[in-house]
Amino acid sequence: MKITERSKARRGYTRSGGLGKLGRGVAIALMTGIAPLALHASIDREASYEPVSPTVDQARANILIARQLQFTHFRDLSIDDSLSSEVFDAYLDYLDGQRVYLTQQDLERFEPLRFGLGAALKTGRLQPGFDIYNTVQQRVIERLEFALELVNQGIDQLDFDRDESLLLDRSEANWVANQQELDELWRKRIKNAVLAQRLSDKSDEDIEKSLKRRYESQLNRSRQARSEDAFQAYMNAFAGMWDPHTSYFSPRTSENFNINMSLSLEGIGAVLQGDNEYTKVVRLVPGGPASKQGQLQPADRIVSVTQEDEDTPVNVIGWRLDEVVDLIRGPRNSVVTLEVIPASASDDSMTRTIAIKRDQVKLEEQSASSEVIQLQRDGSNYRIGVITIPTFYADFRAMQKGDPNYKSTTRDVRQLIDELEDDGIDGLVVDLRNNGGGALHEANDLVGLFIDEGPTVQIRNANNDVQVLTDQDPTVSYDGPMVVMVNRMSASASEIFAGAIQDYGRGLVVGSQTFGKGTVQAVRPLNHGQLKITQSKFYRVSGGSTQHKGVVPDIEIPSRVDFSRIGEDALDHALPWDQIEAVPHTRYFDFSGIIDQLRKNHDERFATDPEFQLLQQEIDFLTEQRAQDYVSLNADVRAVELQQIEDTRLRIANARREIQGESTFETLEELEDWQTAQAADPDGQEDELDFILREGGHIMADMLELDRRLASIGAMETIAAQAN
């Protein structure tokens, strides 16, 4: 059947046919006895490409990488048969993560290499890895040619009345047995791509053009694979056995990494990484264009890129990361439009279009800022100071020049504290939500603003040597009660600060469990590219690591973020949590006497506050969508499912507008047009008080009401001395 035009035009939230997971660069070489499967008789061989081969420079770099991993990485691993087997599996997952290109027959041909990769990697013999890589590339080309062949036959030949479904995530599925089963899988994948676009009110003619353009683009790039693509993929699968933050940078990737670290290039202010055939957003740079625009989110995957002077999107599925980065970069004030699969999407066919004006990330836009929350509770008025810290920054150039007024997190926060205390605040909330870290010494110095003096963090290297960073300044900028707000995107230096405040009993940590990035990397030059390698690990003054577990809040607030996809514990081969000896430190206040009542008060507010209830509805909705394993390929069933999703989105959005006293939207299109207009003018948006931040203020007020001893750090020190 053919779906008739729906009354709703899909403008801001559309669907497109994703193609599963393609390896980060794949190539073809049929050597060392790995025989290819026969191509379809109808597939044209004329445009096949030449197999890629390793170079002498790559072999030398491989030997250096193997030595550095064995002898200098924090994790002690031997390159033995067991590791060889794990590299084999990880490499295949790297190249065919969604298991849509290879068959069980291919795996049987690869199997003799399983226990030989380790010995080969130690000695720079790269050919086995290249053989696997090149055979996968052959399969990629075959699949894309099959897809084009099917589309060319006419999508009107597809039957959408059948009761069929498609598994959304095949990362844990078995590889199909043979080519015939792979053909059937791809027939369903193409049906899903067509159905998704029909539900977006696209004509069959436009759908065919779109799919042909996408598959032909991927096919052309697959035929142009380079030796460096194979080497980088193989080395990253190998290095990833030690931990997910250890990786190889090719010479071109090294150049991009160095540019990104200097923040000197104009763009959208997003950190990207390869995720099989997609480019994924890792995090947004605070104060950058994407962060200010507000629609792009961590874990979103980029499908296409459109320049402002072009009408046709460039599909980037299957592109190399450096090429996608180059496409997104551009001159200041120009607009780039990204089509992304949102992290919250129920399947890969659901995309959102986001227009972002390129600009430079300015240091002042990353700076800490402050405000005052006024709360009225049972006849009492509370003034709660809030300091928001987007990142841990320091103007290193100004420091090196000897500028006494250089900008830094600690200097700025000290000044903001003085201003807030002059304003007569009763307590302080430090907001570290979405703060991905930054300068380690700033985290150390910032802790020092709230304690007399003492250790702030421990750093252990691979030789078990422990370095303790300390605050040696006895002055205290703020000695009153504190709450530190965190969420899943609070990482690294944020976790060091929050963990120290918690260990010292200096304040309460409120929010959701943090990211868990508790490792330190160094970038080491090779003869060919660079190796980013994990060399040490952070530990709190209480002895527990921030790695893997992150910081667990004293009072938890639910989050929309999918913890199974974002966070250190969601990454393969992440270093585990462990602990070392604690270092002596003052415990300013023991919250155990009031924490149960604080949690009870919070839960009661949560149960009655309409915004918290709405947050829980959103979380439940997203959880339900993420739990969906299959998508229907029956047009009528799919249309009903899509309508239910749209109705739920509109209902939740309107409920929030009603809470805020604003008019509701009649249709989802009205909502999306409004969201687009808001995103287009981020500077013109009203600054609305975050209800989660407001809850941090209420928790602070609860603390003051339950125990007036929190009024100053001096009182806490007296209590601590009496206890000792």
Side-chain angles (χ1 to χ4, degrees):
M1 68 172 286
K2 182 174 180 179
I3 297 175
T4 58
E5 183 176 354
R6 302 175 63 217
S7 59
K8 291 186 176 181
R10 309 295 301 121
R11 287 192 281 268
Y13 205 79
T14 59
R15 290 180 175 239
S16 64
L19 268 185
K21 305 245 177 181
L22 167 67
R24 281 170 253 185
V26 269
I28 177 173
L30 307 176
M31 306 175 186
T32 66
I34 301 178
L37 294 174
L39 289 169
H40 283 196
S42 59
I43 291 178
D44 183 7
R45 291 173 175 266
E46 291 182 4
S48 61
Y49 73 57
E50 291 297 321
V52 295
S53 301
T55 67
V56 173
D57 283 344
Q58 290 168 350
R60 290 172 178 164
N62 171 204
I63 294 173
L64 291 174
I65 290 168
R67 288 175 179 170
Q68 297 239 26
L69 291 173
Q70 287 183 97
F71 302 118
T72 66
H73 194 282
F74 185 86
R75 172 177 264 160
D76 183 16
L77 283 182
S78 299
I79 303 177
D80 53 18
D81 286 352
S82 176
L83 185 85
S84 177
S85 179
E86 289 188 52
V87 171
F88 178 86
D89 290 330
Y91 190 35
L92 292 177
D93 283 338
Y94 196 101
L95 298 177
D96 188 12
Q98 284 295 303
R99 306 187 176 190
V100 295
Y101 297 113
L102 298 175
T103 67
Q104 192 61 45
Q105 291 175 342
D106 289 315
L107 264 65
E108 290 171 0
R109 292 189 176 98
F110 294 155
E111 191 61 29
L113 298 176
R114 175 179 290 277
F115 295 105
L117 295 183
L121 284 164
K122 284 196 290 188
T123 55
R125 288 183 288 117
L126 294 169
Q127 196 61 54
F130 272 63
D131 292 339
I132 294 174
Y133 186 94
N134 295 330
T135 304
V136 172
Q137 184 65 9
Q138 174 78 10
R139 300 298 176 260
V140 171
I141 290 174
E142 291 173 14
R143 285 300 101 203
L144 294 172
E145 289 177 328
F146 174 84
L148 280 169
E149 184 180 356
L150 194 149
V151 173
N152 286 331
Q153 291 173 0
I155 61 176
D156 58 337
Q157 302 298 310
L158 299 171
D159 181 3
F160 292 96
D161 291 327
R162 295 172 61 180
D163 186 18
E164 293 183 316
S165 60
L166 178 69
L167 179 63
L168 292 171
D169 182 4
R170 289 187 49 81
S171 59
E172 300 297 327
N174 293 325
W175 271 276
V176 299
N178 51 46
Q179 184 172 281
Q180 289 69 37
E181 290 189 17
L182 202 55
D183 288 348
E184 177 64 10
L185 171 61
W186 273 76
R187 181 188 65 81
K188 289 184 176 182
R189 287 166 62 80
I190 293 167
K191 277 186 67 174
N192 182 48
V194 172
L195 179 56
Q197 294 196 49
R198 281 186 176 178
L199 287 169
S200 301
D201 293 330
K202 292 185 179 178
S203 68
D204 280 6
E205 181 181 1
D206 288 341
I207 294 171
E208 287 189 6
K209 287 181 180 178
S210 172
L211 293 180
K212 285 179 183 178
R213 187 165 57 242
R214 173 172 298 183
Y215 299 154
E216 286 170 353
S217 174
Q218 288 182 253
L219 190 57
N220 289 336
R221 306 198 83 75
S222 298
R223 288 169 174 157
Q224 297 168 10
R226 307 167 302 186
S227 174
E228 198 58 49
D229 300 330
F231 182 64
Q232 183 162 291
Y234 194 27
M235 288 303 99
N236 277 324
F238 178 42
M241 292 294 99
W242 274 259
D243 87 306
H245 303 291
T246 295
S247 57
Y248 167 72
F249 295 157
S250 68
R252 175 70 185 279
T253 307
S254 298
E255 177 186 345
N256 282 319
F257 176 79
N258 293 334
I259 290 174
N260 288 337
M261 290 304 290
S262 70
L263 293 177
S264 63
L265 206 70
E266 293 171 347
I268 64 171
V271 178
L272 308 176
Q273 72 176 30
D275 182 25
N276 291 299
E277 96 259 42
Y278 289 106
T279 298
K280 183 173 74 174
V281 178
V282 179
R283 64 180 177 87
L284 304 180
V285 178
S291 176
K292 293 171 66 178
Q293 196 266 2
Q295 289 183 297
L296 194 67
Q297 298 295 321
D300 286 356
R301 289 171 290 163
I302 300 172
V303 173
S304 70
V305 179
T306 308
Q307 309 299 337
E308 68 177 2
D309 56 348
E310 298 177 358
D311 296 326
T312 304
V314 177
N315 185 279
V316 295
I317 297 177
W319 280 38
R320 304 175 187 98
L321 177 62
D322 57 352
E323 293 176 327
V324 178
V325 170
D326 287 344
L327 199 61
I328 293 174
R329 285 174 179 159
R332 184 179 181 182
N333 293 326
S334 62
V335 176
V336 62
T337 300
L338 306 181
E339 180 189 5
V340 304
I341 301 170
S344 59
S346 56
D347 66 75
D348 285 359
S349 66
M350 183 174 288
T351 66
R352 182 190 298 272
T353 301
I354 303 172
I356 303 172
K357 181 181 287 188
R358 300 179 176 106
D359 201 351
Q360 283 188 327
V361 179
K362 302 178 181 67
L363 185 60
E364 59 267 23
E365 292 179 345
Q366 297 185 342
S367 300
S369 60
S370 66
E371 61 182 311
V372 175
I373 300 175
Q374 299 194 49
L375 301 176
Q376 292 185 342
R377 295 165 38 121
D378 299 326
S380 298
N381 294 322
Y382 293 92
R383 294 176 59 79
I384 309 299
V386 177
I387 294 180
T388 301
I389 304 176
T391 186
F392 285 85
Y393 55 89
D395 188 342
F396 292 107
R397 291 182 180 177
M399 289 172 60
Q400 291 169 353
K401 291 179 180 178
D403 183 349
N405 298 313
Y406 71 88
K407 284 188 68 64
S408 77
T409 304
T410 306
R411 294 166 67 99
D412 291 348
V413 169
R414 183 185 290 113
Q415 180 176 339
L416 293 172
I417 288 172
D418 291 342
E419 294 170 358
L420 289 171
E421 291 206 298
D422 289 343
D423 207 9
I425 60 170
D426 299 301
L428 178 66
V429 174
V430 177
D431 189 359
L432 296 180
R433 290 174 301 165
N434 302 318
N435 183 323
L440 173 61
H441 72 88
E442 286 298 322
N444 174 68
D445 293 347
L446 190 67
V447 173
L449 298 184
F450 305 99
I451 65 172
D452 285 334
E453 57 185 336
T456 60
V457 65
Q458 303 184 77
I459 306 171
R460 180 166 72 100
N461 65 20
N463 296 323
N464 288 322
D465 298 324
V466 177
Q467 175 189 7
V468 180
L469 299 188
T470 62
D471 165 48
Q472 298 178 341
D473 183 353
T475 61
V476 175
S477 294
Y478 176 75
D479 64 0
M482 286 179 64
V483 164
V484 178
M485 304 289 294
V486 296
N487 64 7
R488 189 62 161 180
M489 300 310 298
S490 304
S492 195
S494 292
E495 296 174 292
I496 290 171
F497 177 82
I501 294 299
Q502 194 176 55
D503 288 342
Y504 273 92
R506 189 58 193 84
L508 282 182
V509 177
V510 174
S512 53
Q513 183 180 6
T514 60
F515 192 94
K517 169 69 165 62
T519 55
V520 185
Q521 286 72 43
V523 177
R524 297 178 180 171
L526 303 167
N527 68 301
H528 184 78
Q530 296 174 308
L531 179 67
K532 179 162 71 79
I533 187 168
T534 298
Q535 59 181 13
S536 52
K537 200 171 178 180
F538 291 130
Y539 294 83
R540 294 163 58 155
V541 295
S542 57
S545 176
T546 57
Q547 168 64 14
H548 208 279
K549 275 188 181 182
V551 177
V552 178
D554 300 295
I555 298 177
E556 295 200 38
I557 295 177
S559 170
R560 299 179 185 89
V561 174
D562 182 0
F563 281 28
S564 68
R565 297 179 63 182
I566 297 177
E568 190 78 7
D569 54 2
L571 301 175
D572 292 335
H573 304 286
L575 293 177
W577 179 89
D578 63 342
Q579 57 185 344
I580 59 178
E581 287 188 20
V583 289
H585 60 281
T586 303
R587 180 77 180 173
Y588 290 108
F589 189 81
D590 181 2
F591 289 94
S592 62
I594 62 172
I595 191 64
D596 288 342
Q597 186 61 48
L598 291 172
R599 289 171 180 156
K600 182 175 182 293
N601 292 354
H602 163 70
D603 290 341
E604 288 175 353
R605 280 191 296 270
F606 191 98
T608 57
D609 188 308
E611 289 191 275
F612 275 112
Q613 292 174 346
L614 197 56
L615 172 63
Q616 191 60 58
Q617 288 180 39
E618 286 184 281
I619 293 170
D620 292 343
F621 170 66
L622 291 172
T623 301
E624 181 181 340
Q625 293 301 303
R626 292 163 184 153
Q628 185 179 351
D629 294 328
Y630 288 86
V631 62
S632 175
L633 301 179
N634 179 285
D636 293 334
V637 172
R638 185 73 162 270
V640 170
E641 291 174 348
L642 179 59
Q643 188 64 55
Q644 291 173 340
I645 291 173
E646 292 178 345
D647 289 346
T648 302
R649 289 182 57 217
L650 182 61
R651 176 180 55 79
I652 290 175
N654 278 336
R656 174 158 289 114
R657 289 182 67 81
E658 287 177 349
I659 292 171
Q660 296 167 351
E662 298 173 346
S663 60
T664 59
F665 296 106
E666 293 292 331
T667 66
L668 192 63
E669 285 70 38
E670 288 183 25
L671 167 63
E672 290 170 345
D673 286 345
W674 177 82
Q675 289 173 331
T676 300
Q678 290 288 102
D681 185 22
D683 294 329
Q685 296 177 27
E686 292 187 8
D687 224 0
E688 181 183 308
L689 181 59
D690 180 348
F691 70 93
I692 294 179
L693 189 59
R694 186 176 66 238
E695 175 61 13
H698 278 295
I699 291 171
M700 170 63 66
D702 287 342
M703 290 165 57
L704 291 170
E705 290 171 359
L706 287 169
D707 201 322
R708 290 291 173 180
R709 292 176 300 176
L710 283 167
S712 75
I713 193 173
M716 295 181 202
E717 288 176 317
T718 300
I719 295 166
Q722 291 172 350
N724 293 329

